[in-house]
Amino acid sequence: MQVVLGTLLASLVPVVGFNAVMTSEHFASFLVFIVIHVVALAYYIKGILSPKMFKVAVTLVLAVGLVVCSAVIAVLIAMVASSPTKGWSGRSLSLLDPTYASKYIPIIASVSEHQPPTWPSYFMDINVLAFLVPAGIIACFLPLSDASSFMVLYIVTSVYFSGVMVRLMLVLAPAACIMSGIALSEAFDVFTRSIKCQLPGVSQNSQIDVGDSTSGSVVTQDEVVKTDKTEDSLKERPSKKNKKKERERERENVEKASIKTPIQKRLLVLPLESSVIALLLLVLLGAFYVVHCVWAAAEAYSAPSIVLTSRSHDGLHVFDDFREAYAWLSHNTEVDDKVASWWDYGYQTTAMANRTVIVDNNTWNNTHIATVGTAMSSPEKAAWEIFQSLDVKYVLVVFGGVVGYPSDDINKFLWMVRIGGGVFPHIKEPDYLRDGQYRIDSQATPTMLNCLMYKLSYYRFVETDGKGFDRVRGTEIGKKHFKLTHFEEVFTTHHWMVRIFKLKPPKNRIRGKTKKSKSKASSTTSSKRSGKSPWQ
Amino acid sequence: MFVQPKREKEIKPSQERQQRNTSLQQLGPKNILPLGYKCPRWPIFSPYSFSLKTPRSTLEQSRRDSRVRQTGERRDDDAMEAPQSSLRSALVFSFIAIAYLSLLVRSATLSSPELQILNAERRIDLTSHIIRVYLTLKVENTGAAPASEIFLAFPPAQVDHLAIVKAAATFGKKKKKSYLPLDVNPTDLPDAPNGAKCFSISLVSPLKTGESVTLEVLYILSHSLEPFPIEISQSESQLVYYHDSAIILSPYHIKHQTTFIKTSSPKVESFTRVEPSDRVGTELKYGPYEDRHSYSFSPIIVHFENNNPFAVVEELVREVEISHWGSLQVTERYKLVHAGARHKGVFSRLEYQHRPQFSGVSSFKHLLATLPPKVHSVYYRDEIGNISSSHLRTNSKKSELEIEPRYPLFGGWKATFVIGYGLPLQDFLFESPDGRRYLNFSFGCPLAETVVDKLTIKVVLPEGSKNPSAVVPFAVDQRIETSFSYLDVVGRTVVVLEKENVVPEHNSPFQVYYNFNPIFMVAEPLMLASVFFFFFIACVTYLHMDISIRK
């Protein structure tokens, strides 16, 4: 029922719609759903029919069902095969084949959340769990039951998915929690039992106490049964602590303990001191993990990415440049002005500046994003024409070179080139690279130094310090003194992080050139109407 | 006395013509009208005529405004509007004669006192965008009847921007001067020409024949500095025009008068010369002029540099919420604009940061709000969250909140923000002797040196308060609204006070009186408690009830 309800709810979301049933990703879950219900139905019918009748019914149903099923499957296969990606969306395909996105859809690969995570990010996110998870897996295998095998499958798939994309760390989190929980509980089990065994008075008392209580006998019986069952596993258990010495000691202890009681004989017991210390360490580990979690939640996950802070010797310094720019846009531009920026800032501009944007974080329209990418990587005049055709009035760029804000538009620029080049082939990535290296200093290619993004970012930058030293890239910029011909600076925030430029109005035509430009203009407008890009 | 105005800079032809007109006017009793308009002559009724014009007045306006008046006598001169034919003028003449006669009859009973101003000194302070004019008048009663009212006249262009008029009578000699504030009310003088508006100052004791009194008048004009050029770029400084009259506009004869104009900087591009006039540093001096007749007018223009922040709050809504549990919550919503010369072209942060003395001199980025002492939980935010650039300094006298808008404001740029704070109730809420409670709070805008175009104060009284009445020291629009907050049943009474054109001088306390029964304080907690009580009672009864049919 949950599958049906969930699918219904999901299809109510406008963006999802019928994708929840139409795309191939969801077939597996529906198949499981159907199989479960068929089995349940079969059992139900078996219950109400006599065995003879049931046999007849089974043959009947099988005959009809097979025909129907094969027909349905044939139709499905035909439908799936007809679509180029076999009904799989780009994001899920890149899950199965991590190189898929970067090969075919650069826009998916360009999102930082879609990058494969690094080891530090694992450690940052799940911290000690990263070490407890393998222990948990081993613990699951010791008595391999249905539940534990499910857990193993769960952790393996989620580790794979999280390895493909950073954002799927979310999938890993619950699995990692469960596994390390298992590991911890097993460890506590071992340590507390060994302590219990070595404190004879306590253990006897506790046994008496247990006996007094109502469920005590059951518990002891369980224990006996458990120990019988998992005799082998108990022997194995300390091995996961990877301490050979302890194992040797423990054998000695076992020999010692075996003198005492028959039950304790079977237990593998650790020395009292080491187990107490190990327990304390485990508790400490957990406590530090809590501290780490609070810190990570506060610093990495709660800090808004649009208000940046830096700590210096004279206190906290706030970089509120994004909101400064958005507030300026919302109060000092016309209501129906359109703002072009890279799509990362689309939703922010819409929400905070209340202005129409050309592309936003709903990266659904790849061509549109490619158009903006092309404009950013074109020379000034071509870019101006593209923006003019999009009815753009302001262009917003993010520039971190003054304060050293690394995720600025210059660092994202190669993706703009790639995405733009994916749709408009006259933008070629090698034109922007010198010997395969992305650089903005004097060694940069002329295409790079003349593109709009470079010019808008570094416009009059050299006058700040006289040299034009970019703090993010750590070099002096290549082209220092230049003027803008088609754009004018209308606003730059306090730390230069956001720069807003306005498109200059079209120039009046000179009399003699009217004819030529007229024919040109008409050709561009006609090509615009035909739906092709006029700048190709 | 005809003096061609000396020009420091080129004056536009239209201005020149007007200036010549005005100087001609001073030659004698002639009605000076713009070119192309025939001036009717009324030798009997217009011994002193004038044309009250702002330099920008159009032909129509001056035509409408051309009225004639005889000193000392009141008359209805509506009928004198530029009669074209002799027949019509004869008719008008007879009508006026009748009116004149009837007035003569009335004057015996109504007593129109004859006053004259012995000495007038006017100091116009143009240092900020709020113009403060200090007027010292020595008024003498030369008529037969005692005078209880003294009138002040303002040209119509100033009346629209007039924010406040205050007057005080001076007593005693230099060392032991004492001031007695007097009531000032707008009135209509029927003989006021050209749409000039009058204010009447009510004297405490009528001025008897031959006596004289010294008055100190302060009036404040907002939006009266007109930026010219209208648009400036980032590197230019802001130049403004100020229009006024060299001669004090007054319904009385002025024997001796001087005007001092103080500009914000010694950079004065040009000013109209009306001899004797002089300029020393930041001070312009017009006068002394002797024996000017009533309603004399001589327009002047001062074109000077003023880079003070032209901070104008287009709309300010202050919401004061009273809670009898001990706190007063104030929320102020601002729509701020830089009302100076509009910013033109590029804004270069580089210029702004590296050459602050040359770049964006007329822009501003700091504002100072003076809040009451013991202010707590202050916030400063806008629609997209907290604005981190603010500082609060508190001491026992006052709290100062220094705020910075998100971006520096250049001419024409706007910003909106909200300031909120809490105050202890005992400092503002009192009980009057008749058992009513009253809130004593400051009117006006807490921001220093700002003009508020439209100020709305909403005093949200606690639920259950009755008979609200507001006492404000000046005229405001009042109305009552009802608002609902959490757990309100009947709603809260809101006293709404609205006033336009508010300047810092309006920051005087006002009172809102209301009746309140303290039982209403516990109404909401009781309501909540009883809801939970009944809920638990219902749960308990449900658990203890056996509603099954089986026995």
Side-chain angles (χ1 to χ4, degrees), chain B residues 18 33 58 60 83 150 156 166 172 202 232 327 374 428:
Chain B
Q18 284 173 357
L33 288 166
T58 57
E60 281 82 4
I150 294 170
K166 280 181 179 175
S202 321
I232 53 170
S327 99
K374 290 197 235 167
F428 298 94

Side-chain angles (χ1 to χ4, degrees), chain A residues 318 320 323-324 326-328 330-332 352 460 463-464 488-494 496, chain B residues 346-351 353-355 382-386 388 406-407 412-416:
Chain A
V318 180
D320 207 353
R323 288 194 298 176
E324 182 184 344
Y326 295 139
W328 185 86
S330 78
H331 289 120
N332 300 307
M352 294 196 177
R460 298 191 76 179
E463 292 169 59
T464 51
E488 62 181 12
E489 184 186 13
V490 286
F491 191 73
T492 298
T493 56
H494 187 241
W496 288 57
Chain B
V346 301
F347 164 68
S348 166
R349 176 69 69 169
L350 183 89
E351 302 277 338
Q353 281 173 338
H354 288 251
R355 284 176 278 277
D382 66 359
E383 307 94 71
I384 52 176
N386 176 53
S388 48
R406 287 194 186 273
Y407 40 87
W413 288 12
K414 293 177 181 175
T416 59

